Amino acid sequence: TFSAIIVLYATFSIVRFIGEWLINHLLDPLFNNLYLPTITSVIENLLPIQLFRDLLLGTTPEPLGSFGVLTAGVYIPFVVVLPYLFSFYLVLSFLEDLGYLPRLAVLLDNLFHHLGLHGYSSIPLILGLGCKVPAILATRILETRREKLIAIALIMMSAPCLPQTAMILSIMAPFGSSYLFLTFGLLLLVSVISSIVLSQLLKGEAPELLCEIPPYRLPRLSFLMKKVWLRLSSFVKEAIPLIILGIFFIAILDISGLIGLVSKILGAPVLHVLGLPPETVVVMISGFLRKDVSIALLSPFNLSPQQLVVACLFLVLYLPCIATFFVMSKELGLKDAVKLIVIMFFSGLLVGAILNFIFKTF
């Protein structure tokens, strides 16, 4: 078990290191220094109508500041998601060819059976700490639809993704470690309870883990890269068009002013139920684009540490980011994805309301 913990930690660290390096030193500089100036110049010269410019480039120069089809629609899948997806598939393929995954599954099988799953679910769950998109795609290794539903619920609610974690750490660090432990502890508690409830509601049992333990073998680089390429090409063909389509739809809502109208309507409930300023509704809406940015945007509101705990928990639980939403819809189907999102939303709302009541009372 100790060796399994070391391998899981090393897997998470390697995925994080490769993903962050690709973003910070390759893809983000390419996007901001080459792609963005070029596409901005072309669109501004070819399209004199401001409405079309806003639709394609967004209303702000930052790629994640608005919903531009050619800015956020390109930045999210290729700069935010793809690096972590590549690093995840690289490490996963290496562990598969090495022959370690069956051993890891056997070691963790007993623990995950209590949640209605078996040991293979540990791989997607750990990867969800880095990015939810590759974690959800990794649930393809599970045998039944019931397992996939429970595993994705656990992935979505057990912990924030890596960028969110970094933002939560930075925004709560001035108030001490107790609020950090409270936030992550409550997330873990909510995810475990939700998984146990789902395992009772969904008919069926977690199948017994029967797998052959292969001998260790050194992976061949050519086979490894072919496997990574096949998996990445599947994501590019299936998920990226859906993400861009979703950005286009949200851009229309943003330009038409409907998002601002929703903010005004929902401001009062947010104030009374969660104890947060009405203006934070805008932050919650922006969280559908990228959730770590939404958490960072809490800084100007000068929230108390108690309000920050409520806000961070709600922002982690209430909705998946747009990339995760479309990948989840592809894997589960729109109907089941919406059901899971409803469970997440009300879990976040319930936890936030209870915490708000406790903080105000005591």
Side-chain angles (χ1 to χ4, degrees):
T1 304
F2 180 71
S3 63
I5 294 173
I6 294 176
V7 170
L8 290 175
Y9 177 78
T11 299
F12 175 67
S13 300
I14 293 170
V15 169
R16 173 185 175 182
F17 174 78
I18 296 176
E20 287 184 351
W21 188 93
L22 288 173
I23 292 173
N24 296 329
H25 299 284
L26 180 62
L27 296 175
D28 190 71
L30 279 176
F31 182 92
N32 287 300
N33 298 329
L34 182 61
Y35 172 81
L36 188 58
T38 303
I39 198 67
T40 300
S41 176
V42 170
I43 295 299
E44 289 180 349
N45 291 329
L46 293 180
L47 289 178
I49 302 175
Q50 187 63 38
L51 176 63
F52 293 136
R53 289 184 186 179
D54 291 343
L55 185 63
L56 295 177
L57 300 178
T59 55
T60 62
E62 296 81 12
L64 293 178
S66 57
F67 303 92
V69 175
L70 297 179
T71 52
V74 173
Y75 191 90
I76 289 175
F78 288 104
V79 180
V80 176
V81 176
L82 197 60
Y84 286 110
L85 197 63
F86 167 76
S87 58
F88 154 65
Y89 279 143
L90 184 64
V91 176
L92 178 65
S93 300
F94 178 82
L95 292 177
E96 282 178 343
D97 292 352
L98 182 67
Y100 185 76
L101 286 185
R103 291 170 169 80
L104 180 65
V106 170
L107 287 172
L108 298 176
D109 183 59
N110 186 50
L111 172 63
F112 278 84
H113 257 84
H114 293 292
L115 302 177
L117 300 168
H118 64 54
Y120 271 128
S121 308
S122 59
I123 301 299
L125 181 61
I126 294 298
L127 292 163
L129 301 177
C131 179
K132 305 299 182 186
V133 172
I136 292 173
L137 291 174
T139 59
R140 293 177 179 180
I141 64 177
L142 302 180
E143 298 175 9
T144 67
R145 186 172 184 81
R146 175 182 178 274
E147 286 181 280
K148 182 177 285 192
L149 279 167
I150 298 173
I152 291 178
L154 195 59
I155 289 167
M156 296 305 300
M157 293 188 287
S158 60
C161 62
L162 185 63
Q164 279 183 289
T165 300
M167 292 298 177
I168 292 173
L169 289 171
S170 64
I171 202 171
M172 286 191 173
F175 302 103
S177 59
S178 58
Y179 290 105
L180 284 171
F181 285 120
L182 177 62
T183 302
F184 290 107
L186 286 171
L187 281 172
L188 181 61
L189 179 63
V190 170
S191 65
V192 169
I193 292 174
S194 300
S195 298
I196 293 174
V197 171
L198 278 175
S199 68
Q200 297 299 318
L201 292 178
L202 296 175
K203 295 181 180 180
E205 297 181 356
E208 294 299 325
L209 182 61
L210 301 174
C211 64
E212 181 182 356
I213 304 298
Y216 285 115
R217 55 188 179 272
L218 188 64
R220 293 182 61 179
L221 183 60
S222 59
F223 291 162
L224 191 69
M225 297 313 296
K226 285 181 181 178
K227 185 182 292 188
V228 172
W229 169 250
L230 287 173
R231 287 169 167 172
L232 284 179
S233 62
S234 175
F235 168 77
V236 171
K237 293 175 182 177
E238 297 174 6
I240 289 180
L242 293 175
I243 294 172
I244 295 174
L245 181 63
I247 292 288
F248 175 75
F249 178 71
I250 295 175
I252 294 176
L253 296 180
D254 187 28
I255 293 172
S256 66
L258 290 177
I259 289 183
L261 179 62
V262 171
S263 298
K264 293 180 181 179
I265 295 173
L266 297 179
V270 167
L271 174 64
H272 294 295
V273 176
L274 300 177
L276 302 174
E279 296 81 8
T280 56
V281 173
V282 179
V283 174
M284 296 172 188
I285 293 175
S286 69
F288 189 54
L289 180 63
R290 185 169 169 181
K291 298 177 79 170
D292 59 319
V293 173
S294 66
I295 292 175
L297 291 176
L298 293 173
S299 298
F301 292 100
N302 295 317
L303 302 180
S304 68
Q306 294 86 358
Q307 288 178 313
L308 282 174
V309 172
V310 174
C312 288
L313 280 168
F314 185 73
L315 285 172
V316 170
L317 292 172
Y318 81 122
L319 286 175
C321 67
I322 187 170
T324 303
F325 169 75
F326 284 110
V327 172
M328 191 191 305
S329 300
K330 181 67 176 63
E331 291 299 309
L332 297 178
L334 183 60
K335 184 178 179 181
D336 285 339
V338 170
K339 288 180 181 179
L340 190 54
I341 289 170
V342 170
I343 293 173
M344 289 175 57
F345 180 82
F346 282 103
S347 297
L349 194 64
L350 180 62
V351 171
I354 292 173
L355 276 179
N356 179 42
F357 174 77
I358 292 174
F359 286 144
K360 283 185 175 180
T361 305
F362 300 101

